[in-house]
C-alpha cells in the first residue's frame, strides 16, 4: 500500500480548535502539517446566530473564501478605520495582520469558510482575552468609568473563539455597499476558460487590497489536466472543495510523490517544485489554490520546450534530432490542457 504523502493532509480531520453547537474550527499549521512554509489554513463553521468573536492575527494576513451561508464581517483597521460588509457563498474577504475583525452568521443555515494565512504558524488574539489581561482599574481608567463597572464581567486570557448572539443581528446600512476588503470572485467572468475547465483569480490585478497572498478558483473537467509546471517565487497550497484528483510532485533529489487528493483535503507544493494535477474519478474538481504572493506566476512544460532549439533539446534528452516529437510552439502556457491519452493506471 502506498505510504501517506507528506504533501497532503485532511483539513476536516485537522487540529480541532473548537467544536460545539455554535460551530467549529479546524486548522493545519506547520505543527501538524510540517511541509507548510509561509502559508497555513483553517476551516470555520458558524451555526445560525453564532459569532467568531472579534480577534486579530499578530503575524499573518488572512484571505477567506465563503463556502456556504451569509455573514456580516466587521473590520477595525490601523488608524481606527472601521468598515463592515456582507459576505455570501462564492465571495471572499481579506484582513490585514493585526486588524480587529469579527464574522457573524446572520442567516438561517450554517456558514462555512476556508481561511488561508500568510504564515505557517499564525498567532491569534481574541478581544475577550485581551480585555481579560487588564485589571478593573486599568479598564475603568480606559473608559472613564469606576473600576467597579467591570467587576461583574467575567474575564479570562483565553479567547472564547465562537460565541452566541442574542436576538436579531444589527446590520449597519454601510454593510450593503462595496468595500475594499470584500471580493466576489465567483461572480467574475473567468479570465481563463477552456474546454478542460476554467480559472477565476483573486489576485492584486483584480483586487488591489492584496499584497502578499492570492487565490485561484480552479475548475478542471474529467478530461482535463493542469499542465506540469512550477512557480519560481511562490509556494502553492490547495484546498479541494469538490471532487478528487491525482497529483505528482518532484523533489530536488529526483524522488516523485504521487497521491490522490480528495474533498476536504489540503496539499502543499514548495516554491519551484514541478507538479501537475489531473482529474481521475469525478466529473470535475474544484480547487481553491492559495499562493504566498499577490500576483503568482509559473513556468510550464509546454513553454519550456519552446524556449530552446530542437538541437538543444535533442542533446538534453539524449536522442537523435529526428526522434524528437513534433512539439507545438507555445510562447505562453495554457494553464489547462485536454487529456487526449488514456489515464495512467492508479497505483495501489
Amino acid at each position: 500500500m502506498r505510504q501517506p504523502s507528506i504533501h497532503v493532509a485532511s483539513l476536516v480531520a485537522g487540529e480541532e480548535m473548537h467544536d460545539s453547537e455554535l460551530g467549529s474550527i479546524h486548522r493545519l499549521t506547520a505543527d501538524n502539517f510540517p511541509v507548510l512554509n509561509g502559508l497555513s489554513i483553517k476551516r470555520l463553521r458558524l451555526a445560525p446566530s453564532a459569532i467568531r468573536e472579534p480577534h486579530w492575527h499578530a503575524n499573518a494576513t488572512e484571505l477567506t473564501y465563503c463556502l456556504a451561508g451569509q455573514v456580516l464581517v466587521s473590520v477595525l483597521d490601523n488608524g481606527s478605520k472601521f468598515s463592515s460588509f456582507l459576505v455570501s457563498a462564492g465571495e471572499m474577504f481579506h484582513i490585514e495582520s493585526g486588524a480587529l475583525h469579527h464574522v457573524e452568521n446572520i442567516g438561517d443555515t450554517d456558514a462555512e469558510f476556508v481561511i488561508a494565512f500568510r504564515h505557517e504558524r499564525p498567532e491569534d488574539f481574541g478581544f475577550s482575552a485581551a480585555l481579560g489581561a487588564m485589571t478593573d482599574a486599568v479598564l475603568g481608567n480606559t473608559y472613564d468609568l469606576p473600576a467597579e463597572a467591570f467587576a461583574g464581567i467575567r474575564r479570562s486570557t483565553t479567547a472564547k473563539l465562537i460565541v452566541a448572539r442574542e436576538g436579531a443581528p444589527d446590520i449597519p446600512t454601510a454593510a450593503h455597499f462595496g468595500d475594499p476588503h470584500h471580493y466576489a470572485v465567483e461572480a467574475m467572468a473567468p479570465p481563463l476558460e477552456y474546454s478542460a475547465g476554467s480559472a477565476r483569480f483573486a489576485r492584486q490585478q483584480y483586487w488591489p487590497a492584496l499584497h502578499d497572498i492570492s487565490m485561484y478558483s480552479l475548475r478542471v473537467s474529467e478530461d482535463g489536466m493542469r499542465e506540469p509546471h512550477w512557480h519560481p517565487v511562490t509556494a502553492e497550497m490547495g484546498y479541494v472543495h469538490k471532487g478528487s484528483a491525482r497529483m505528482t510532485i518532484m523533489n530536488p533529489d529526483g524522488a516523485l510523490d504521487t497521491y490522490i487528493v480528495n474533498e476536504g483535503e489540503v496539499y502543499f507544493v514548495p516554491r519551484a517544485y514541478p507538479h501537475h494535477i489531473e482529474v481521475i474519478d469525478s466529473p470535475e474538481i474544484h480547487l481553491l489554490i492559495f499562493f504566498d504572493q499577490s500576483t503568482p506566476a509559473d513556468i510550464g512544460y509546454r513553454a519550456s520546450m519552446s524556449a530552446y532549439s530542437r538541437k538543444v533539446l535533442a542533446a538534453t534528452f539524449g536522442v537523435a534530432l529526428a526522434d524528437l516529437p513534433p512539439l507545438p510552439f507555445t510562447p505562453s502556457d495554457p494553464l489547462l490542457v485536454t487529456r487526449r491519452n488514456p489515464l495512467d493506471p492508479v497505483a495501489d
Side-chain angles (χ1 to χ4, degrees):
M1 181 175 292
R2 180 178 298 278
Q3 294 299 310
S5 169
I6 66 168
H7 294 103
V8 64
S10 171
L11 181 55
V12 177
E15 178 189 355
E16 183 181 278
M17 297 180 63
H18 181 94
D19 190 14
S20 72
E21 71 280 0
L22 296 176
S24 61
I25 304 175
H26 292 82
R27 69 178 177 182
L28 292 173
T29 69
D31 291 331
N32 51 25
F33 193 13
V35 72
L36 291 179
N37 183 15
L39 291 165
S40 57
I41 193 167
K42 289 181 183 176
R43 184 174 177 123
L44 168 66
R45 178 181 63 82
L46 294 174
S49 300
I51 299 169
R52 173 68 172 98
E53 73 155 310
H55 63 287
W56 68 92
H57 311 288
N59 61 348
T61 55
E62 169 187 332
L63 187 57
T64 297
Y65 182 99
C66 182
L67 298 171
Q70 185 179 43
V71 298
L72 171 69
V73 179
S74 67
V75 186
L76 185 61
D77 278 307
N78 195 17
S80 298
K81 183 179 180 181
F82 181 78
S83 60
S84 59
F85 47 91
L86 303 177
V87 179
S88 300
E91 299 178 349
M92 304 183 71
F93 62 90
H94 172 262
I95 308 294
E96 290 286 355
S97 178
L100 181 68
H101 57 289
H102 100 308
V103 184
E104 178 178 353
N105 191 342
I106 60 173
D108 299 325
T109 60
D110 283 4
E112 297 184 36
F113 307 86
V114 170
I115 310 170
F117 298 93
R118 189 57 175 83
H119 199 284
E120 67 274 12
R121 291 184 176 89
E123 298 172 340
D124 302 346
F125 286 95
F127 190 53
S128 62
L131 201 74
M134 305 302 163
T135 66
D136 290 350
V138 168
L139 292 175
N141 294 337
T142 299
Y143 297 101
D144 195 22
L145 292 169
E148 293 76 18
F150 295 91
I153 299 178
R154 185 178 63 83
R155 300 199 302 277
S156 167
T157 55
T158 300
K160 295 182 176 68
L161 299 180
I162 299 178
V163 296
R165 184 192 68 239
E166 292 186 8
D170 294 326
I171 304 175
T173 301
H176 296 278
F177 297 93
D179 189 275
H181 296 89
H182 177 223
Y183 182 64
V185 64
E186 299 297 351
M188 75 184 307
L192 293 179
E193 190 164 19
Y194 310 85
S195 61
S198 64
R200 293 173 170 84
F201 304 134
R203 64 187 190 193
Q204 192 176 55
Q205 175 187 2
Y206 302 99
W207 191 2
L210 303 184
H211 61 89
D212 65 354
I213 195 169
S214 57
M215 193 278 290
Y216 284 9
S217 176
L218 181 67
R219 290 172 172 84
V220 187
S221 66
E222 59 184 343
D223 61 348
M225 188 180 80
R226 175 69 173 99
E227 75 152 319
H229 64 285
W230 66 94
H231 306 280
V233 295
T234 183
E236 173 180 326
M237 180 179 68
Y239 172 79
V240 184
H241 181 204
K242 294 180 180 178
S244 61
R246 176 167 53 194
M247 293 189 65
T248 294
I249 297 177
M250 181 180 180
N251 295 292
D253 62 1
L256 302 180
D257 187 11
T258 299
Y259 52 85
I260 307 298
V261 287
N262 299 299
E263 189 170 318
E265 292 184 330
V266 175
Y267 69 83
F268 183 81
V269 182
R271 60 178 57 188
Y273 280 38
H275 57 287
H276 101 299
I277 306 168
E278 61 180 329
V279 178
I280 56 167
D281 60 0
S282 58
E284 181 184 71
I285 187 169
H286 181 206
L287 299 168
L288 308 179
I289 305 178
F290 298 91
F291 302 95
D292 61 1
Q293 304 284 333
S294 62
T295 307
D298 59 67
I299 297 175
Y301 278 33
R302 281 189 60 140
S304 296
M305 284 291 197
S306 298
Y308 299 97
S309 70
R310 290 180 63 82
K311 291 180 179 178
V312 169
L313 294 176
T316 298
F317 298 114
V319 298
L321 194 60
D323 292 333
L324 278 178
L327 300 166
F329 177 70
T330 309
S332 179
D333 283 295
L335 191 84
L336 297 176
V337 296
T338 300
R339 189 175 56 222
R340 58 181 294 176
N341 295 293
L343 186 69
D344 290 325
V346 178
D348 293 330

